[in-house]
Amino acid sequence: MTQLTDQLTLGLNAPICLTWEWTYACDLQCVHCLSSSGRRDPHELTTPEMKDVVDQLAAMQVFYVNIGGGEPMLRPDFFEIIEYCVSRGVGVKFSTNGGRINAENARRLAALDYVDVQISLDGIDEATNDAIRGEGTHARVRRAMDHLRDADFGSFKLSVVMTRENVGQVDAYEALAAEYGAELRLTRFRPSGRGIDTWHDLHPTSQQQVDLYHWLLARPHVLTGDSFFHLSALGEPLPGLNLCGAGRVVCLIDPVGDVYACPFVLHDEFKAGTIRGEGGFAAVWQSSDLFTSLREPSSPGACGSCGSYDVCGGGCMAAKFFTGLPLDAPDPECVFGHGEDALAALAANGGAVRPSMTADHSKPLGVGRRRIPVTAL
């Protein structure tokens, strides 16, 4: 695994995992939304442009893409593009809030090959979930899950962003996924998008991180997408590659065609180019200055004296960037507390400079947006 990881840090001819956000439109205003979605961007890719991207990915032999948003099912051409992906041999895993998965759409999805559904539920109960995702969302997700089960869709994924409010519910989540024959996928809460404003109140505590590490270690069947590689510094590495794959094995295409190194860092500093430029996506992936620099050996910086650096790699680039830490600083959730010390030092010197997103597509107050109260423990 170590040799493979070393090879992957140098980058591949095509990404293993490509996240492709189809729209910034969303009928929810989740407090941790990584892309600050809500309103559609008028410059979003057209249907022909979307199909052209699919053709490019097929030519690069990209095996599958993670489709997100916003809510991708709000695009009028959603099924047209999904079916085109399948016809070109590009598998699809798409994330949804479940609002558009009625009985008819569930049957239509079940009839498609190479399509996987990842449905978001951020609290096992209504009170926990709806405080994050909005009133009534828990009930509609459960209805969507029922529709998928009734349509014999198969093993969809139940996706949960871990917060200090729901991390204690992991056993119940495991049982719920088993009830539906679904796979459980837990992901880390990054301070991206609207999460910049809620991360300090909602990210799991140090003890909760330790408890989660041991829970995941005992359950290799629970999917994480390498979200928690910073926890591997606690001992035995968690299953997976355990590295930051930004610009090496992963990247993101946003709804207007801009390409970013990481799905969680939608900021001009990490924008590598655009698929609307000469050479399309392949030119950005293979030749952009940003991706070239990310594939070069990096300095451990402040983590150089830590014996666990080879395991955790210094942690998550997005978590550092949006909390105001330098990229060679410890992860803000470093299991040894070094990130907390670094944040405290910043605060003592006038506070961290926390970059904002490149664009905020949140619905303005008074036009459907509602502030959701968050309880800090």
Side-chain angles (χ1 to χ4, degrees):
M1 179 63 76
T2 300
Q3 185 177 4
L4 174 61
T5 300
D6 290 343
Q7 291 175 344
L8 293 178
T9 58
L10 301 177
L12 300 174
N13 289 331
I16 290 177
C17 175
L18 170 67
T19 296
W20 185 8
E21 294 187 346
W22 280 12
T23 183
Y24 284 120
C26 190
D27 52 342
L28 302 185
Q29 293 283 284
C30 301
V31 301
H32 56 15
C33 178
L34 67 91
S35 59
S36 297
S37 287
R39 293 174 291 115
R40 178 184 176 274
D41 191 298
H43 302 294
E44 289 178 4
L45 299 177
T46 64
T47 301
E49 286 178 313
M50 297 282 284
K51 290 183 176 180
D52 183 61
V53 172
V54 175
D55 290 339
Q56 294 179 47
L57 299 180
M60 295 177 69
Q61 298 183 316
V62 173
F63 181 65
Y64 79 95
V65 291
N66 289 315
I67 304 303
E71 171 51 56
M73 294 189 76
L74 289 177
R75 279 192 68 114
D77 57 3
F78 171 79
F79 277 105
E80 180 180 353
I81 304 302
I82 288 283
E83 291 165 355
Y84 190 74
C85 286
V86 173
S87 72
R88 298 290 285 117
V90 178
V92 170
K93 177 172 67 177
F94 80 92
S95 297
T96 177
N97 61 38
R100 292 298 181 97
I101 298 184
N102 53 28
E104 179 184 354
N105 285 341
R107 289 191 295 269
R108 191 169 181 181
L109 289 168
L112 293 170
D113 292 327
Y114 310 118
V115 174
D116 191 12
V117 176
Q118 183 168 286
I119 191 164
S120 298
L121 186 69
D122 288 326
I124 201 67
D125 56 82
E126 182 177 294
T128 305
N129 176 83
D130 290 8
I132 301 296
R133 306 190 66 83
E135 184 177 352
T137 54
H138 183 274
R140 81 174 190 177
V141 165
R142 292 300 301 269
R143 287 195 298 271
M145 292 168 65
D146 289 342
H147 288 313
L148 290 171
R149 179 178 58 188
D150 294 344
D152 292 324
F153 177 85
S155 184
F156 62 89
K157 290 178 174 59
L158 179 59
S159 179
V160 190
V161 177
M162 288 282 91
T163 69
R164 67 182 60 178
E165 305 287 351
N166 67 19
V167 70
Q169 301 175 342
V170 284
D171 287 334
Y173 270 116
E174 186 178 29
L176 180 63
E179 177 185 339
Y180 282 85
E183 292 182 282
L184 180 59
R185 187 177 192 271
L186 307 183
T187 58
R188 183 180 178 185
F189 179 17
R190 272 92 162 185
S192 306
R194 285 194 289 272
I196 293 174
D197 297 322
T198 56
W199 181 83
H200 284 280
D201 290 333
L202 282 177
H203 76 94
T205 65
S206 297
Q207 185 57 53
Q208 287 175 330
Q209 300 265 8
V210 173
D211 293 343
L212 179 61
Y213 163 75
H214 290 292
W215 192 88
L216 288 171
L217 199 61
R219 293 165 176 80
H221 60 280
V222 173
L223 306 175
T224 65
D226 277 317
S227 285
F228 303 102
F229 62 90
H230 68 296
L231 298 183
S232 292
L234 288 166
E236 181 181 346
L238 293 171
L241 296 174
N242 284 304
L243 59 82
C244 171
R248 301 180 179 105
V249 297
V250 303
C251 70
L252 173 137
I253 302 175
D254 81 352
V256 299
D258 291 334
V259 182
Y260 294 86
C262 169
F264 300 98
V265 195
L266 303 186
H267 188 276
D268 283 343
E269 190 168 330
F270 296 93
K271 184 165 69 176
T274 173
I275 60 96
R276 283 169 159 157
E278 185 177 353
F281 174 72
V284 178
W285 177 259
Q286 295 168 2
S287 305
S288 77
D289 292 340
L290 174 63
F291 286 172
T292 299
S293 66
L294 288 173
R295 293 162 188 165
E296 295 173 349
S298 59
S299 167
C303 298
S305 60
C306 179
S308 297
Y309 177 77
D310 289 341
V311 180
C312 78
C316 174
M317 179 175 72
K320 298 178 196 183
F321 183 72
F322 283 119
T323 53
L325 293 173
L327 297 188
D328 61 355
D331 189 294
E333 292 181 298
C334 168
V335 297
F336 303 120
H338 300 317
E340 294 178 4
D341 292 343
L343 287 174
L346 281 177
N349 287 287
V353 177
R354 295 163 57 201
S356 62
M357 298 288 288
T358 296
D360 188 340
H361 293 86
S362 300
K363 294 174 183 175
L365 291 173
V367 189
R369 189 179 180 196
R370 180 175 64 86
R371 292 203 181 277
I372 301 172
V374 177
T375 301
L377 298 183

